[in-house]
Amino acid sequence: MKRPGRDDAPDRLYTLTGGRSGSGPDSPFDLVTLVVAESGPTVGMQSEHAAVLRLTQAPTAVVEVAAELGLPVSITKILLSDLLAAGRVSARHPRNSALPDPDVLEQVLVGLRNL
Amino acid sequence: MTAPAPSGDRSTIRSLLPLPLLTAALSVLAVLWAVASAPASAQTLVGCCGAAAAVLLCVAVTVAVQARRAARSVRAALRTATAEAERAAQERDLQAERWRREHQRHTDATAHERARLAEEFTRERALRAQESEGERVRLAAEVRRLSEQLDRALGDRDSAIAATANAAARMQALATGTLADLRAMEERHSDEEVLADLLHLDHRTAQAGRLADSVAVLTGARSGRRWARPISMESVLRGAMGRISGYQRIRLHSVSDTAVAGHAAEGVMHALAEVLDNAANFSPPNAEVHVYVEEVPAGAIVSVEDSGLVMSDVQLRRAEQAVSGDAGGLGGLTGTRLGLAVVGRLSRKHGMKVSFRPSARGGTGVLILIPQDILTTAPSPVRRPADPPTRNAPPRAPEPDLDAPAPAEVTAPAEQLPPQDDGADTPRTGDGLPKRRRGRTLAAAESARAAAQSVERRTDPPEDIRTRANRFGAFRQAVRAGGAAERTGGHPLPDVPDDSHDTPSPQTETVHGGPTPSHPEGDTTS
């Protein structure tokens, strides 16, 4: 287990989401959903929301947003759902053609196993 | 002669009568004798002369008798007066004697009484002295006993407080460790139900930690945590919020971008948590508690307004007194009302001012002034430094897919880079240690150092890069058993600047300073 560090953030995750732990069954977000900001951050906004809006000026995957925020993906999804409900971001799934060739992926897999 | 006369004179007159009468009779007889015996011629003359002589004799006798009688009566009166005087003198002597005796008696009685009183007084004084001596001894023993008891009580109190402080410190450490563990678990588990349970546990543990913090503050132990960097006001408020049970009813309205200095952040957070807990506990279970932050020249004012019970003047005064911090002792604490005492201790420690007033929302408003000297204007960059590179993240994101798992391989050495070869633009202290500039946080300093490292690494001797390229080439060879060999040969360092110029942002320097240390490495090897 992690030792308590001196640089952990003092705010607990449930305070970011107001106690919610899931974004609901109809959440459009999964790990690779691309998120784009529809507006800039405004004054008085929760700082995570503002950070998301700054991050997603170009389409960004949910998992990447989570990594940049340093938050678990589930929590990030809740924040994104809030923003989506407020109309500040829009979400879309990546096109299938953006995925690399399965052949390449298989070769990567083989290479990894050989390491 | 028998004429009525005063009765007093009668006896006198009567007593006067016999002798003159006798004289008159005798003289009459003598005159008669003389007349008879005298020649007839001379009888008339003798009779007249005899009669005159007889009358004169009678008068003389009468006067003589009268005089004798008067003398006798005067003598008698004199005798009487003398006797009277003697009697009076005797009386006086007697009186004097009696008075003397009386005086003597009284003098004797007084002297006796005085002697008796003196003796009694002496006896009494001796008795009192004896008693007071006994009392003094008893009191001295009592004082000794009490002071021993006091010493023992003080010793007991000190050791009890020390034990409590020690236990509280350990509980704090446990809670902090548990919270970190929970955070790590929350990162690891993405299942919503598990996450909900973990968050629940997290919340409970945070409250337990706050209680341990309170005990530690009251027993004068070291404060629980110290933050190495300033904590933004939003995080302070949320950190405080996360430690109370009714955190979902707290509404934050903060546009402040101030931050609380790291050494004071924990105390401010704890004090705020206690105030918020009071506000949430003393308002209806579904009423919201509003928190506003206002920046003033003296610092920042956090106002907590609830819509619960209106505190009376007496309660307000008592609360003000409780938080004024002048209650030095632990006396008067009850088990359930630790909050205000904790707030008092913390506000005295950090120079905060707490005041109470009726709130316009119908409840009570608490104003907390956080003084300027524990505020910094630098926003707490928990995630701010992460922001700029992310603008370039999208173009970079798909690349690792195409370019094989190289970053994953090179990340490890990059993390192990020792800080001793860090960049030139990091300010250093005299002994060569990197120095953090005021207002810059550790994260910013880290990123600057990472940027310097990346610059330095890019100017590495070509051999180093070539070895790494060769290693990567071997890996590629293993993947594509065939024609990867000529690609490894054709993969020298000139690629590097191209890749770094790919990034469209003008903030290229900060890009390399991003918190993803694998970035420059990935560029170097791609």
Side-chain angles (χ1 to χ4, degrees):
Chain A
M1 286 293 169
K2 205 172 81 172
R3 296 280 304 155
R6 283 167 70 83
D7 281 336
D8 291 342
D11 26 27
R12 314 301 306 170
L13 292 181
Y14 49 88
T15 60
L16 305 186
T17 65
R20 290 164 297 161
S21 59
S23 47
D26 53 348
S27 167
F29 297 103
D30 61 17
L31 288 182
V32 295
T33 309
L34 291 177
V35 183
V36 189
E38 296 287 339
S39 65
T42 58
V43 173
M45 201 177 237
Q46 194 179 341
S47 69
E48 283 77 18
H49 287 169
V52 167
L53 292 181
R54 271 194 300 273
L55 281 170
T56 57
Q57 282 167 357
T60 312
V62 170
V63 65
E64 198 160 357
V65 172
E68 294 290 352
L69 291 179
L71 295 174
V73 175
S74 323
I75 302 294
T76 312
K77 281 188 202 168
I78 299 171
L79 295 174
L80 287 173
S81 303
D82 291 346
L83 285 171
L84 186 68
R88 293 189 172 273
V89 298
S90 58
R92 65 182 170 83
H93 281 275
R95 291 189 305 275
N96 282 342
S97 61
L99 287 175
D101 191 7
D103 184 34
V104 176
L105 287 178
E106 192 180 340
Q107 286 176 347
V108 169
L109 189 60
V110 172
L112 282 173
R113 282 188 183 142
N114 288 342
L115 275 179
Chain B
M1 301 221 108
T2 57
S7 61
D9 288 343
R10 193 173 301 164
S11 63
T12 318
I13 292 171
R14 198 175 290 155
S15 65
L16 286 179
L17 280 184
L19 206 51
L21 284 184
L22 185 60
T23 310
L26 286 179
S27 52
V28 167
L29 287 179
V31 167
L32 288 181
W33 178 78
V35 166
S37 56
S41 62
Q43 269 180 340
T44 317
L45 186 55
V46 169
C48 283
C49 284
V55 166
L56 280 176
L57 184 62
C58 282
V59 168
V61 167
T62 303
V63 167
V65 166
Q66 183 69 27
R68 192 169 162 222
R69 182 159 298 177
R72 210 170 40 225
S73 79
V74 164
R75 204 176 297 123
L78 183 64
R79 229 180 3 253
T80 309
T82 305
E84 193 75 15
E86 277 176 5
R87 214 186 58 228
Q90 263 178 6
E91 189 81 2
R92 198 193 59 201
D93 287 350
L94 208 67
Q95 199 72 26
E97 177 65 16
R98 209 166 42 229
W99 181 83
R100 202 182 49 76
R101 271 207 312 273
E102 190 77 2
H103 174 74
Q104 185 64 35
R105 198 171 57 81
H106 280 158
T107 307
D108 287 354
T110 307
H112 179 72
E113 185 75 2
R114 198 176 58 193
R116 192 182 62 80
L117 284 179
E119 188 196 0
E120 195 168 324
F121 171 73
T122 311
R123 208 172 50 236
E124 190 79 1
R125 195 175 59 181
L127 198 69
R128 285 288 140 83
Q130 198 179 349
E131 270 178 13
S132 73
E133 179 68 17
E135 188 76 358
R136 201 178 59 79
V137 168
R138 198 179 63 77
L139 284 179
E142 184 83 354
V143 163
R144 213 163 36 241
R145 192 176 63 79
L146 284 180
S147 59
E148 273 170 15
Q149 208 167 342
L150 180 66
D151 283 350
R152 208 168 45 240
L154 282 179
D156 285 355
R157 173 185 175 277
D158 284 350
S159 52
I161 284 186
T164 314
N166 191 12
R170 285 164 62 183
M171 272 171 61
Q172 276 179 310
L174 267 180
T176 312
T178 312
L179 285 176
D181 293 351
L182 282 168
R183 177 64 191 255
M185 291 182 205
E186 284 158 10
E187 302 272 353
R188 208 173 323 128
H189 297 287
S190 58
D191 184 4
E192 286 185 359
E193 289 183 5
V194 178
L195 185 64
D197 290 347
L198 286 175
L199 290 182
H200 183 68
L201 282 181
D202 196 336
H203 184 209
R204 294 284 178 139
T205 312
Q207 292 178 69
R210 176 169 69 92
L211 193 55
D213 285 346
S214 293
V215 176
V217 166
L218 289 177
T219 52
R222 221 158 37 84
S223 81
R225 303 199 49 167
R226 298 179 93 75
W227 304 92
R229 53 180 169 77
I231 305 292
S232 74
M233 188 57 81
E234 186 188 28
S235 289
V236 167
L237 292 176
R238 281 199 307 223
M241 207 173 112
R243 300 177 188 193
I244 70 168
S245 59
Y247 71 96
Q248 281 161 314
R249 292 156 45 203
I250 310 285
R251 296 286 174 269
L252 303 180
H253 310 276
S254 163
V255 295
S256 168
D257 61 347
T258 53
V260 180
H263 68 92
E266 179 67 24
V268 174
M269 231 183 283
H270 187 188
L272 273 174
E274 296 293 347
V275 170
L276 287 177
D277 192 37
N278 265 2
N281 282 342
F282 290 101
S283 55
N286 49 3
E288 295 181 344
V289 175
H290 293 264
V291 181
Y292 303 90
V293 180
E294 182 189 357
E295 292 178 34
V296 293
I301 288 184
V302 181
S303 62
V304 178
E305 312 240 338
D306 64 42
S307 48
L309 302 171
V310 183
M311 290 170 85
S312 68
D313 282 348
V314 176
Q315 286 170 314
L316 283 178
R317 258 205 317 279
R318 201 173 295 155
E320 299 252 358
Q321 192 198 349
V323 301
S324 64
D326 58 359
L330 297 176
L333 283 183
T334 62
T336 53
R337 295 292 183 89
L338 299 178
L340 291 181
V342 170
V343 174
R345 294 280 181 109
L346 288 171
S347 52
R348 187 173 43 174
K349 179 176 174 189
H350 296 298
M352 295 186 286
K353 291 189 178 58
V354 184
S355 54
F356 296 81
R357 50 155 209 208
S359 164
R361 292 184 173 275
T364 301
V366 186
L367 296 183
I368 302 160
L369 172 68
I370 303 173
Q372 193 70 53
D373 53 356
I374 58 170
L375 290 179
T376 55
T377 50
S380 162
V382 196
R383 286 147 200 142
R384 300 284 161 77
D387 296 347
T390 54
R391 200 165 299 151
N392 315 300
R396 214 178 57 223
E399 277 176 10
D401 286 340
L402 303 176
D403 268 7
E409 189 215 2
V410 202
T411 309
E415 277 175 354
Q416 290 161 0
L417 272 180
Q420 55 256 30
D421 58 349
D422 55 358
D425 62 343
T426 309
R428 287 162 179 266
T429 58
D431 17 281
L433 292 172
K435 195 172 77 177
R436 201 158 65 97
R437 221 179 278 134
R438 187 174 177 79
R440 274 174 101 202
T441 62
L442 192 58
E446 274 307 321
S447 66
R449 199 175 61 189
Q453 282 170 7
S454 72
V455 168
E456 195 165 284
R457 289 199 71 80
R458 207 165 299 129
T459 58
D460 268 352
E463 294 83 18
D464 191 15
I465 293 180
R466 197 148 298 167
T467 3
R468 247 181 301 156
N470 285 340
R471 208 167 55 206
F472 182 58
F475 168 65
R476 295 295 284 283
Q477 214 168 4
V479 176
R480 302 182 180 180
E486 69 274 7
R487 283 194 63 187
T488 49
H491 185 66
L493 61 163
D495 278 351
V496 174
D498 294 345
D499 268 0
S500 62
H501 286 310
D502 271 351
T503 54
S505 161
Q507 304 173 330
T508 317
E509 282 312 302
T510 40
V511 168
H512 295 305
T516 53
S518 66
H519 178 205
E521 296 297 327
D523 281 351
T524 316
T525 48
S526 66

